[in-house]
Amino acid sequence: MSSVGKTRKLIGASANCFCSTFTLKCARVNSTIAQFGRLKRQVYPKRYPLRIVNPDGSSFDVMYKEPRAIFHLPYDTSEMSPEHVAKYMLERKTRMSKKSKTVVQTITEESIDFDHSFLLLISSVGDLIHLGDHVTGNSVDVRMAAFYGFEQKGSLYSDSYRIFLTYNGKVISPFHDIPLYPEPSNDSVLNMVVEVCRFTNAKMEINKELKLNPIKQDVKKGKPRFITNLFPNKGYPWNYGAFPQTWEDPRNVDQHTGYNGDNDPLDVCDISDIIPPAGNVIQVKILGILAMIDEGETDWKVIAINTADPKATEYVDIQDVERLKPGLLKRTVEWFKYYKVCDGKPANKFAFNEEFKDQQFAKEIVKHTHQSWKDLIGRQRDAAGISLVNTTIQLSSEKIPSDAAKEHVDQHGMVSAPAPLPENIDHFFFVPC
């Protein structure tokens, strides 16, 4: 069995850039083409589309020399080092078929070149695809499908920490620049900005007041805020975040609760078993909604599931949560009711007798808060201290160039070692039943 090798010049990309255009680089690999147990080297004179599927489900084609192949990126690739990605590739084989033939690719240790690019994608027989800055050589200039990323600044668990979001490498506002609906024709699947990972305690949130709205840890009495473990939950019981381009208007009395909005983007609880890092933009399917009243303000909580979850298709509406994850909805109500009690505050209240409303009801609340955001960004409502700075809203008077946004981010300190966690971070708070 012979080795196949051909190298194209690579224009490298930084290892933390999971959101740029890319460069093709071929590496020497061992390839086996098996046809009913008989080995044979197959030659294809044409160029074929190679389909790459991104973690968010989007895909794109590259014209390539082999028959069509489909390769799914692992969900957590953006957080993996080149070595870990290479290990992943070594443990995985890419298969594709053309009529009765099956092509099986094997990667060997010596075939992997560790440079400044992530080894992310395997194409077809004999080749690796690297992320880089441009498509070079004889390849067509194909742009990667929309990739969201993030850049960390400062020291985690301190007031200096920031997570700035990016889109195809350019800084954006998670509040204003990310479209609410990935596909405008589908109002069941929405973009969600992950602020807090399940089982963690640091209360991270999109900061409304700061320029470009980075994710930042909430501060209470001059100290970074940590959520107490409400038994039996360790930290947050789900991934927690917000829908971009939504806003609960504090000047609007909600017709369902009788209270004004809480002046924040709409909150989301992702009940998936996948735990993405804070700063990720994921696509979620809406399942239902809970009407919480927090200190006299309406604070809706949307229940959703990451569409990348293998069981996401089994969830259609809110009743499926109780069927597939019995007890989770009850625990969710209890958590939201009591999580501030340990800080000396009263228990939160709920509309609709603490009952969750269904998917259709939730969609209407989302649309209403989306319209409120449109009024906000269009200056039809007083911003009242909210930063409207963005990089993509063409009709916005607060739109700034990407270079100016990058310059602003670069003014913040480089990411540094995390600050110490509180000594009581693993303590539990008990509420009498």
Side-chain angles (χ1 to χ4, degrees):
M1 178 175 62
S2 61
S3 295
V4 184
K6 186 177 182 181
T7 304
R8 294 187 183 133
K9 185 177 181 181
L10 171 68
I11 300 179
S14 59
N16 66 347
C17 182
F18 187 58
C19 48
S20 63
T21 53
F22 62 96
T23 301
L24 298 184
K25 176 181 178 181
C26 303
R28 183 174 299 275
V29 299
N30 291 330
S31 304
T32 302
I33 301 176
Q35 180 181 12
F36 302 100
R38 181 165 55 89
L39 297 181
K40 177 181 178 182
R41 175 63 191 273
Q42 183 72 38
V43 177
Y44 301 99
K46 298 181 180 180
R47 296 179 71 82
Y48 299 84
L50 166 67
R51 174 151 296 175
I52 305 300
V53 181
N54 302 319
D56 63 2
S58 61
S59 62
F60 61 96
D61 288 344
V62 178
M63 297 306 296
Y64 212 62
K65 64 184 180 184
E66 303 289 354
R68 173 171 295 178
I70 298 178
F71 185 77
H72 290 264
L73 287 171
Y75 181 81
D76 58 353
T77 297
S78 61
E79 291 298 297
M80 296 167 68
S81 67
E83 290 80 2
H84 286 152
V85 176
K87 182 179 179 182
Y88 173 86
M89 289 161 48
L90 288 168
E91 295 172 348
R92 189 181 183 93
K93 295 180 179 179
T94 301
R95 295 177 173 83
M96 61 183 178
S97 57
K98 178 178 174 64
K99 296 182 179 179
S100 62
K101 303 177 181 65
T102 299
V103 178
V104 180
Q105 182 184 44
T106 304
I107 311 298
T108 61
E109 291 279 1
E110 58 271 17
S111 72
I112 298 173
D113 176 22
F114 296 109
D115 55 20
H116 295 292
S117 299
F118 270 127
L119 306 175
L120 292 181
L121 308 172
I122 303 175
S123 66
S124 52
V125 176
D127 295 311
L128 305 180
I129 295 181
H130 289 230
L131 284 183
D133 292 327
H134 308 284
V135 177
T136 58
N138 298 322
S139 304
V140 294
D141 187 7
V142 180
R143 294 282 172 175
M144 195 171 245
F147 263 105
Y148 294 100
F150 58 86
E151 184 174 349
Q152 302 174 77
K153 295 288 186 179
S155 175
L156 182 62
Y157 309 132
S158 77
D159 193 44
S160 69
Y161 185 69
R162 307 282 192 277
I163 300 176
F164 289 95
L165 269 68
T166 60
Y167 174 83
N168 285 344
K170 297 182 178 180
V171 180
I172 59 171
S173 160
F175 193 175
H176 308 303
D177 288 314
I178 300 172
L180 175 60
Y181 300 101
E183 296 292 337
S185 60
N186 184 358
D187 63 357
S188 296
V189 176
L190 284 71
N191 280 319
M192 169 187 170
V193 179
V194 179
E195 298 170 312
V196 183
C197 307
R198 179 157 53 107
F199 304 143
T200 62
N201 299 78
K203 192 179 190 311
M204 301 287 185
E205 59 187 14
I206 294 172
N207 188 286
K208 305 187 302 293
E209 294 76 25
L210 294 178
K211 186 176 181 178
L212 292 170
N213 313 114
I215 295 174
K216 179 183 181 297
Q217 190 165 357
D218 189 24
V219 175
K220 180 181 178 182
K221 296 181 180 179
K223 296 182 179 180
R225 185 179 171 191
F226 293 87
I227 295 297
T228 302
N229 301 308
L230 185 63
F231 183 84
N233 301 292
K234 175 66 174 74
Y236 284 75
W238 2 249
N239 301 310
Y240 194 63
F243 284 142
Q245 297 188 345
T246 61
W247 181 52
E248 296 196 59
D249 189 345
R251 298 165 188 81
N252 177 62
V253 177
D254 190 282
Q255 62 174 323
H256 303 290
T257 67
Y259 292 90
N260 295 59
D262 70 347
N263 199 31
D264 284 330
L266 195 58
D267 295 324
V268 194
C269 304
D270 165 34
I271 64 170
S272 168
D273 292 333
I274 299 172
I275 305 180
N280 265 26
V281 178
I282 62 175
Q283 282 68 55
V284 296
K285 180 196 298 184
I286 297 178
L287 301 175
I289 196 166
L290 177 68
M292 188 174 88
I293 301 168
D294 184 357
E295 300 184 34
E297 296 178 332
T298 300
D299 191 3
W300 291 100
K301 306 296 181 183
V302 177
I303 305 300
I305 186 167
N306 191 338
T307 57
D309 190 293
K311 296 184 178 180
T313 55
E314 299 180 33
Y315 293 83
V316 178
D317 215 320
I318 193 66
Q319 64 269 16
D320 295 314
V321 180
E322 184 59 31
R323 178 175 62 87
L324 296 168
K325 294 191 174 185
L328 178 59
L329 295 181
K330 180 181 178 181
R331 294 281 188 187
T332 296
V333 173
E334 291 177 350
W335 193 90
F336 279 122
K337 181 185 290 187
Y338 296 117
Y339 82 103
K340 289 185 177 180
V341 171
C342 55
D343 295 326
K345 295 184 178 181
N348 287 321
K349 298 179 181 180
F350 305 85
F352 306 113
N353 296 317
E354 303 182 356
E355 294 180 359
F356 289 82
K357 305 301 286 185
D358 63 14
Q359 183 193 65
Q360 188 56 45
F361 189 98
K363 288 181 180 180
E364 294 304 316
I365 298 298
V366 171
K367 290 177 182 177
H368 177 75
T369 57
H370 184 43
Q371 182 59 51
S372 295
W373 171 82
K374 289 181 179 180
D375 294 340
L376 175 69
I377 199 71
R379 289 290 190 178
Q380 298 177 39
R381 302 293 282 180
D382 183 10
I386 296 177
S387 173
L388 302 181
V389 175
N390 65 86
T391 60
T392 65
I393 310 298
Q394 296 299 326
L395 298 179
S396 170
S397 61
E398 301 289 334
K399 180 178 180 292
I400 64 173
S402 296
D403 290 346
K406 183 179 185 304
E407 182 178 351
H408 171 73
V409 172
D410 290 343
Q411 291 174 358
H412 294 74
M414 298 296 292
V415 65
S416 55
L421 288 168
E423 293 182 359
N424 64 348
I425 194 68
D426 294 322
H427 293 182
F428 280 87
F429 182 82
F430 295 82
V431 176
C433 298

